[in-house]
Amino acid sequence: MVDQTQPWAERTVEVPPQRNAGFRRGVASVGQPASERTEPTTEPFPVAPHEPTGSGWPGEPTPRMPMSYQLQQLRKGGEWSAVGGLFAFVCWGIWALSGHGDLTSPVMAFVLTLLVATGLFGLSRLLGRLVWERQFGRIRRTARGAHLVTGVFLFVVGLAYLRQTEWVIDVWNWVRGM
């Protein structure tokens, strides 16, 4: 008899040993031999009809992603625009301070530059949507290409500000003449 003082004892039932003629310890039973079977061993699975779920069918619009996902997608690659914008700002500052005059016109010029860069970013995203998504059927997961185009534009604008600064050009010509 099992000791009932143990906590597991009340859930444990002793089974008397069975004397089975076909039982051998350590050998699994696999059923009847193939020669004794009369029925097929497999049954065909029933085929369920296809029910459209509304996604992936040609001609149907794809569902829109949430706004938080779209903003997160726009941030990826932003370092290119940030570096180009920082370079343009430093070069603009050198150009504006070397003019020794009123800063209203240079500020308006830099604001206009940033507006053009924003429009260029939007145009790059639109072209990416038309070419990359619609023509090639690919999914855009980042905005790196548009940020790269915007960063290159801002870098070139920064160089243009430096080329309009007389003392920077004089230093450049002096270094080249050495």
Side-chain angles (χ1 to χ4, degrees):
M1 186 80 191
V2 177
D3 182 18
Q4 293 294 323
T5 60
Q6 299 295 328
W8 51 267
E10 60 191 36
R11 293 186 300 257
T12 305
V13 179
E14 288 187 19
V15 178
Q18 297 177 355
R19 303 290 178 199
N20 191 349
F23 178 76
R24 290 187 304 173
R25 186 177 185 106
V27 178
S29 62
V30 293
Q32 296 177 331
S35 60
E36 296 178 10
R37 292 187 197 133
T38 58
E39 300 175 4
T41 58
T42 59
E43 297 178 15
F45 289 108
V47 177
H50 180 71
E51 297 177 13
T53 59
S55 63
W57 291 98
E60 289 188 16
T62 57
R64 300 232 356 135
M65 298 303 282
M67 184 62 81
S68 62
Y69 175 78
Q70 292 178 0
L71 289 176
Q72 180 184 11
Q73 184 184 26
L74 285 177
R75 286 187 196 115
K76 293 181 181 177
E79 62 272 2
W80 292 104
S81 292
V83 167
L86 182 65
F87 182 77
F89 178 74
V90 169
C91 294
W92 168 82
I94 293 170
W95 171 73
L97 293 177
S98 67
H100 303 295
D102 188 26
L103 291 179
T104 305
S105 295
V107 167
M108 294 299 288
F110 190 67
V111 168
L112 182 63
T113 299
L114 292 179
L115 288 174
V116 170
T118 304
L120 182 63
F121 178 79
L123 181 64
S124 299
R125 290 291 291 173
L126 178 66
L127 286 175
R129 180 182 193 99
L130 292 175
V131 173
W132 195 253
E133 287 184 354
R134 295 212 176 151
Q135 294 296 324
F136 294 146
R138 305 290 302 258
I139 297 174
R140 292 184 302 169
R141 292 182 173 82
T142 65
R144 283 190 181 103
H147 281 295
L148 181 63
V149 167
T150 305
V152 168
F153 168 75
L154 288 171
F155 184 79
V156 170
V157 165
L159 291 177
Y161 281 131
L162 286 180
R163 289 190 68 193
Q164 294 177 5
T165 308
E166 184 178 339
W167 66 268
V168 172
I169 296 298
D170 291 341
V171 168
W172 176 255
N173 288 333
W174 180 75
V175 168
R176 282 183 54 196
M178 291 177 86

